[in-house]
Amino acid sequence: MSTATADSPMTQVRPKKRRSSRGDWVYRALITSMVCVVLTIFVGVFVVVVTGAWPAMRRFGPGFIVKTGWDPVHLVFGALPFVVGTIIVAFGAMILAGGVGLLTAVCVTELLPPWLQEPVTYLIELLAFIPSVVYGLFGLLVLAPMLQRTVEVWLLEHLGSRFAFFNGAPYGVGYLSAIVILAIMLLPLIVSLSREALVLVPRELKEGGYALGADRWSVVWGITVPFARDGIVGAFVLSLGRALGETIAVAMTIGGGFRLPTTIMDQGYTLASVIANEFNEVSSAMYLSALIYCGLILFVVTIVVNIIAYFIVRRLSGIHGFRA
Amino acid sequence: MKINRIALQGAGLLVCFSMAPIDGLAQSGALTGAGSTFVNPLMSKWSKEYHTLHPNIQINYQSIGSGGGRQQFLAKTVAFGASDAPLTDEQLAQAGGEANVVHIPVTQGSVVIAYNLQGVSKQLRFSPQTIAGMFLGSIKLWNDPKIAADNPGVSLPTKPVLVVHRSDGSGTTDIFTDYLTKVNEEWKSKVGRGTSVQWPVGIGGQGNEGVANQVRNTEGGVGYIELAYARQNKIAYGSVKNRAGNYVDPDPKNVTNAAASLLDIPADLRFSITDQAGPQSYPIAGSVWVLLYKNQQDAEQGKLVTAFVHWAITDGQKYANDLDYAVLPKNLVQKSEAALRTVTCGGKSCLQK
Amino acid sequence: MASERKSGTSDHGPRRPSKWPGRVGFGLTAVATLLSLGALFSILGYLVFHGIGAINWNFLVKEPAAVGEAGGGIAPSLLGTAILVGISMIVGVPLGVGVGIYLSEIAGDTPFARITRVAINTFIGVPSIIMGIFVYFVLVKPTNTFSAVAGGLALGLIMIPIMARTTEDVLRLVPNSIREAGYALGATQWRVTFEIVLPAARAGVITGGVLAVARVAGETAPLILTALGNEYYPSGLFKPIDEITLRILKYARGPYDVWHQQAYGAALILVFGVAIGSLLLRLTTRDYNAPGR
């Protein structure tokens, strides 16, 4: 796949340095200064976050990321429960959404008749327009009580005695609810990006498969999906990036706990949701600083994940302008 | 000479006249206060009623928790903070010292032990050790002998006790942990008192609202919330054994009983009314303070806020009982009013008679 | 085709692969699709079922009642949302489009351009609460007040990378031949950009704008730290302001049934508004899709 298109800056016509029009000079200065303002703001964001986190960074050091204990009275803070919580919720949701989403994308591109594909895709993409707080509302008032009465009780009864992982008190809100809600939020992203990747698979390859006598299912799993693998992986990574930063829906469904999780039904926090819930309510300056330290960790992690995602997805930016 | 004296008197009258506030007419403005969820139902009612009386004045109260109220007060992002826990010494120092801050008690209420047990219709009774046991995690089931001992004749289910506490900085937590620290040695050494503590067991809810919601939704749940939240949402709550040995209902009048038992009120009005003596004192009772800076930098705002608080501790008290809060006892009203008068706007007392 | 026969086969030809893996496989995909659609319909269904009862004239024009009492409305939050989105557009659209123009029309292969591109691409993914923290320290604390301006600023900052990215993508799609025609006619660079390229990409830029606005209208976390919320209409731009998602958050978490119903009602209005906008968008911009789709 080529990375440079016919319209990339490298091949754009640039006006020769003739009698430089004053209008052009003003235009370029204006635009460039806008870019400088934006870049300064971005740098400023980083600086402010580091400054805010600094007292906690100095007091707890990098060990903050691997320590437990959250004691606002004695000012002992360790962010490990939130880091673990973030990983559990983000990966759990990504796997759940990835499985369901990929299968859905396959169904839409391979199974549905063309007249049905567009409306179904539109409907699923509608999920992306539902704001985070509405997901939180649904999770808190509908999903969590439902999980509490059905799934969690079932898990506790049937699997709880054998696996400590399922041996938790059914409160409803907790990691399980947060994972399910977040998975629903990630679905549209996975479905639409996977679909775009699947659609790009050249027909000739598929026809070749049929010519060799393969049936439709083998063509899908043997040819189409592997060919679209890069795009699908890109979709997964992007959804992971999205999942890491999701704040409000998680804050409303995860229950709020400061300890390391031992069961899937425990309550906890992710880095983003602990900030949202605690920021206005901190009882000391060090507490605030510890929260912003969490924000800094989140900031760095999402930057790293997004850079990785960007490079994976960039390999697919081609003629169709396929972008994340 | 005579003309000068008349002129002088006339000028003096003019000056006095222009300085007297034309109450209700010229006054307008918007204030933001934030803090305690404990007092939110009453504060919200006050805000609406005051707005009806003075349509040009908006008191925007956001219940973010006492911890948040104190934080925003210290950050000076709000006109007043409301908290069911007074500022700690450390926070007072942050605010510029004791001379810089006034605590004005505005109401009192009870922290109830709310629970969700379908099938138990009789009101449960709790002794101090039972409460401590549940929240320490040593009492795990509802039919534990300790709970049964408090409630003879009541058949309790074999359901797990699911503790719900506050996840945010909370004055209600401060009142509750203050009580537990007084009555239980293990709690005192293990957890202690504070607006935020390290809870041994249980899940966290945001605000009194969140805890109430969670207890409502959780079969076997138990949590500590302000009485208004329990009554308004039909959540069952228990009576608590006080120091005199009686199981007392959290009714507001029993909070007033507790407050009346408080013998000496410190000058800075930072006091606790938990675990008071007296046969009908409810033991888990607390007060709500409005926090104000003594020197109001914005004189207009200072006048508005002191007028509002003055109304709240006088006329506003009539709304308290209906919303399940306790009316301030007379001696406390006097002290609050005196404290309010020490708040200055541009050098003089903000409150004009 | 293999001509050897496995034992046990009949004389009808080589053994065909079983149809069942395919049936099960496609069956699973169908189930997955039904799950996805089911999630959507159950969320919308609950919103409609529980929220429709809350929506009435009072709901839309009145201020909230005292805690737990019925009869109040969410009017300040509706106005507040409009104000906040407006402020965010004032901040986000010019800067975002400007950066997009830079990346598409002006930038060469300089380090500066590459840094800009990386910055935009990474800040698209930064959680919105980080912007809230930034604006809290930069505006809320120094001015000693939560404010509409602070909230709008935070939302605007979130909008910038999104607008920049979509603008750049859309401008890139404009064929070079159009630009060359402009230059051939002697136009200067800025005239080519503003009078030829931008108008050609107008639909895409507007789409990008609408999507960015929809995204920003749903953001709650940064507003918690900047706008705080208000039970009344905002009394000024430097005062706390209510917003529809803040109100939903507050009411959903409370124990009052009245609050829950109003939360559903507000959520219904929000989702409805966004869905209509998305549908209109899809219908009106279908002609402008890139060729080959």
Side-chain angles (χ1 to χ4, degrees):
Chain A
M1 289 254 168
S2 68
T3 52
T5 69
D7 295 299
S8 71
M10 279 65 102
T11 60
Q12 259 173 8
V13 170
R14 318 212 69 227
K16 302 179 193 61
K17 295 278 194 252
R18 45 191 174 154
R19 39 177 179 106
S20 163
S21 143
R22 217 178 39 180
D24 269 356
W25 189 89
V26 166
Y27 157 71
R28 296 241 277 277
L30 186 66
I31 297 282
T32 313
S33 60
M34 278 181 166
V35 174
C36 287
V37 164
V38 171
L39 288 179
T40 312
I41 292 177
F42 287 166
V43 169
V45 170
F46 191 72
V47 165
V48 164
V49 172
V50 170
T51 312
W54 188 246
M57 285 170 79
R58 217 176 37 184
R59 183 175 169 129
F60 305 113
F64 183 70
I65 303 176
V66 290
K67 284 227 180 59
T68 58
W70 197 259
D71 189 351
V73 177
H74 302 108
L75 295 185
V76 174
F77 297 112
L80 185 63
F82 312 142
V83 173
V84 169
T86 309
I87 293 175
I88 291 180
V89 169
F91 276 93
M94 185 188 81
I95 291 171
L96 186 59
V100 175
L102 183 57
L103 289 173
T104 306
V106 165
C107 177
V108 169
T109 52
E110 300 289 323
L111 204 58
L112 292 182
W115 59 270
L116 205 52
Q117 287 182 17
E118 166 110 15
V120 170
T121 313
Y122 166 70
L123 283 176
I124 296 182
E125 281 177 9
L126 259 187
L127 282 172
F129 283 101
I130 298 179
S132 186
V133 75
V134 176
Y135 277 111
L137 167 73
F138 181 74
L140 183 60
L141 296 184
V142 178
L143 189 72
M146 195 203 79
L147 284 178
Q148 182 193 24
R149 285 192 297 269
T150 56
V151 176
E152 290 188 0
V153 172
W154 187 93
L155 285 173
L156 182 61
E157 278 175 20
H158 292 88
L159 297 174
S161 40
R162 249 175 296 154
F163 303 103
F165 187 63
F166 294 108
N167 194 11
Y171 273 103
V173 290
Y175 286 106
L176 187 60
S177 306
I179 288 175
V180 172
I181 280 294
L182 190 53
I184 301 177
M185 295 173 80
L186 296 177
L187 263 181
L189 192 63
I190 301 237
V191 168
S192 68
L193 290 179
S194 303
R195 185 172 160 256
E196 289 190 3
L198 289 171
V199 155
L200 285 177
V201 174
R203 246 182 40 186
E204 301 81 43
L205 280 173
K206 292 193 268 196
E207 287 174 1
Y210 289 124
L212 287 171
D215 68 330
R216 235 170 58 173
W217 184 248
S218 309
V219 168
V220 165
W221 283 110
I223 298 177
T224 314
V225 169
F227 190 87
R229 189 187 49 206
D230 284 342
I232 294 175
V233 167
F236 273 54
V237 178
L238 272 160
S239 71
L240 179 65
R242 170 86 204 272
L244 288 172
E246 180 47 52
T247 311
I248 286 295
V250 172
M252 292 169 85
T253 51
I254 200 165
F258 297 90
R259 288 187 293 270
L260 279 180
T262 46
T263 78
I264 191 74
M265 296 180 271
D266 273 0
Q267 289 69 45
Y269 264 135
T270 62
L271 290 167
S273 55
V274 71
I275 302 172
N277 276 349
E278 299 284 308
F279 195 87
N280 279 339
E281 309 177 9
V282 293
S283 46
S284 59
M286 184 53 68
Y287 194 158
L288 184 66
S289 186
L291 279 183
I292 301 184
Y293 195 170
C294 291
L296 180 62
I297 298 170
L298 181 63
F299 197 179
V300 170
V301 166
T302 45
I303 287 181
V304 167
V305 169
N306 278 294
I307 290 183
I308 296 176
Y310 173 67
F311 280 114
I312 294 182
V313 169
R314 204 172 77 138
R315 291 172 59 186
L316 291 142
S317 62
I319 330 137
H320 300 279
F322 172 76
R323 291 288 183 96
Chain B
M1 206 58 173
K2 220 171 168 186
I3 308 169
N4 278 348
R5 262 222 268 146
I6 294 174
L8 211 63
Q9 281 172 356
L13 268 173
L14 215 72
V15 168
C16 287
F17 199 74
S18 64
M19 293 223 299
I22 311 164
D23 194 52
L25 250 174
Q27 287 229 308
S28 79
L31 283 183
T32 301
S36 162
T37 59
F38 186 95
V39 78
N40 193 25
L42 184 57
M43 187 65 82
S44 155
K45 185 71 170 171
W46 278 342
S47 162
K48 290 289 159 184
E49 293 301 327
Y50 199 70
H51 185 59
T52 312
L53 287 173
H54 306 275
N56 289 328
I57 303 184
Q58 299 174 346
I59 313 282
N60 171 29
Y61 181 75
Q62 294 296 318
S63 73
I64 58 178
S66 296
R70 306 187 309 174
Q71 168 74 6
Q72 299 307 325
F73 171 75
L74 291 173
K76 301 200 173 135
T77 50
V78 291
F80 67 93
S83 167
D84 358 311
L87 292 177
T88 60
D89 293 329
E90 194 198 313
Q91 287 168 330
L92 268 182
Q94 243 187 303
E98 237 188 77
N100 218 12
V101 174
V102 279
H103 288 77
I104 319 251
V106 292
T107 192
Q108 298 172 311
S110 46
V111 177
V112 307
I113 308 293
Y115 57 88
N116 180 345
L117 277 182
Q118 310 294 330
V120 176
S121 50
K122 197 153 180 262
Q123 186 189 32
L124 289 182
R125 312 195 306 182
F126 299 102
S127 63
Q129 306 315 318
T130 312
I131 301 176
M134 286 197 290
F135 282 85
L136 278 170
S138 49
I139 296 181
K140 294 198 213 291
L141 292 174
W142 278 101
N143 61 349
D144 188 282
K146 286 221 181 81
I147 307 183
D150 288 336
N151 296 281
V154 179
S155 86
L156 297 161
T158 319
K159 285 212 180 86
V161 172
L162 297 178
V163 167
V164 183
H165 55 74
R166 290 284 289 272
S167 60
D168 54 325
S170 155
T172 318
T173 301
D174 188 67
I175 298 170
F176 186 55
T177 52
D178 176 33
Y179 167 73
L180 284 177
T181 310
K182 283 185 183 167
V183 299
N184 187 284
E185 273 308 308
E186 198 188 338
W187 187 273
K188 184 173 173 182
S189 53
K190 243 177 139 182
V191 186
R193 169 194 181 176
T195 54
S196 262
V197 298
Q198 240 186 347
W199 295 93
V201 291
I203 70 165
Q206 274 247 306
N208 268 287
E209 300 94 350
V211 174
N213 203 16
Q214 193 62 40
V215 171
R216 243 180 127 201
N217 287 341
T218 311
E219 176 66 22
V222 65
Y224 59 94
I225 51 181
E226 203 278 329
L227 177 64
Y229 289 92
R231 280 202 180 150
Q232 277 178 345
N233 298 290
K234 314 229 184 344
I235 306 175
Y237 54 90
S239 56
V240 179
K241 195 175 187 183
N242 67 4
R243 234 204 274 174
N246 300 324
Y247 287 97
V248 180
D249 191 79
D251 195 80
K253 63 177 184 309
N254 295 330
V255 170
T256 310
N257 289 339
S261 307
L262 188 66
L263 289 171
D264 51 345
I265 301 174
D268 64 355
L269 296 176
R270 299 193 290 157
F271 54 85
S272 153
I273 54 173
T274 56
D275 197 38
Q276 291 299 310
Q280 287 303 312
S281 299
Y282 182 69
I284 324 181
S287 317
V288 180
W289 289 268
V290 162
L291 304 169
L292 290 173
Y293 283 102
K294 206 167 260 186
N295 300 312
Q296 290 287 311
Q297 301 211 303
D298 182 340
E300 280 314 304
Q301 189 170 267
K303 294 205 187 97
L304 285 176
V305 74
T306 46
F308 170 65
V309 175
H310 187 259
W311 176 87
I313 59 181
T314 51
D315 285 341
Q317 293 293 305
K318 64 176 180 259
Y319 299 104
N321 269 329
D322 283 336
L323 288 172
D324 302 314
Y325 291 88
V327 173
L328 283 179
K330 284 261 165 26
N331 60 334
L332 212 45
V333 174
Q334 280 167 356
K335 288 195 157 54
S336 293
E337 227 185 302
L340 201 52
R341 281 189 197 286
T342 65
V343 178
T344 57
C345 295
K348 4 164 135 353
S349 171
C350 297
L351 267 187
Q352 312 277 343
K353 220 355 182 201
Chain C
M1 283 277 149
S3 55
E4 57 237 24
R5 298 185 186 183
K6 292 215 168 81
S7 60
T9 54
S10 67
D11 249 338
H12 294 286
R15 212 165 64 123
R16 291 222 178 82
S18 162
K19 280 216 170 79
W20 282 106
R23 289 209 181 109
V24 168
F26 280 121
L28 276 177
T29 64
V31 166
T33 311
L34 287 174
L35 274 177
S36 306
L37 290 174
L40 174 73
F41 287 125
S42 61
I43 293 177
L44 292 182
Y46 268 96
L47 285 188
V48 171
F49 185 69
H50 289 275
I52 203 90
I55 301 181
N56 51 44
W57 188 241
N58 272 350
F59 186 65
L60 296 173
V61 301
K62 271 194 158 171
E63 294 165 336
V67 163
E69 287 179 16
I74 59 164
S77 69
L78 294 175
L79 178 63
T81 309
I83 293 177
L84 285 172
V85 167
I87 298 177
S88 73
M89 286 177 75
I90 294 174
V91 170
V93 170
L95 286 175
V97 171
V99 173
I101 291 177
Y102 173 80
L103 287 175
S104 166
E105 305 293 311
I106 301 183
D109 203 14
T110 61
F112 184 68
R114 266 181 275 171
I115 290 174
T116 308
R117 199 165 268 121
V118 167
I120 290 290
N121 286 318
T122 53
F123 264 83
I124 279 191
V126 165
S128 55
I129 195 153
I130 305 281
M131 293 306 185
I133 296 178
F134 173 67
V135 176
Y136 178 78
F137 282 106
V138 154
L139 194 56
V140 174
K141 276 202 93 169
T143 56
N144 282 336
T145 179
F146 293 92
S147 62
V149 170
L153 178 63
L155 294 181
L157 293 181
I158 296 169
M159 206 189 258
I160 291 177
I162 304 173
M163 280 303 308
R165 188 58 176 286
T166 48
T167 305
E168 185 201 350
D169 284 355
V170 146
L171 289 178
R172 288 280 195 87
L173 286 176
V174 173
N176 238 3
S177 48
I178 293 188
R179 290 186 188 85
E180 290 172 11
Y183 289 128
L185 288 169
T188 56
Q189 192 184 19
W190 72 270
R191 293 193 76 169
V192 168
T193 307
F194 282 99
E195 294 179 11
I196 300 178
V197 178
L198 267 181
R202 189 187 56 205
V205 175
I206 292 178
T207 306
V210 171
L211 288 174
V213 164
R215 158 86 192 268
V216 143
E219 288 288 347
T220 319
L223 294 177
I224 298 177
L225 283 55
T226 50
L228 186 67
N230 200 329
E231 304 299 307
Y232 300 95
Y233 287 104
S235 53
L237 288 178
F238 275 95
K239 293 279 173 147
I241 190 171
D242 207 18
E243 200 262 356
I244 197 170
T245 59
L246 283 179
R247 191 115 306 245
I248 297 174
L249 179 65
K250 180 181 186 138
Y251 281 2
R253 283 176 150 167
Y256 306 99
D257 285 328
V258 169
W259 276 15
H260 288 179
Q261 200 192 27
Q262 295 205 322
Y264 277 115
L268 186 60
I269 292 178
L270 184 58
V271 168
F272 195 67
V274 166
I276 296 286
S278 146
L279 182 66
L280 282 174
L281 205 63
R282 207 147 171 116
L283 289 176
T284 54
T285 61
R286 223 194 312 204
D287 309 320
Y288 295 98
N289 271 355
R293 269 304 168 92

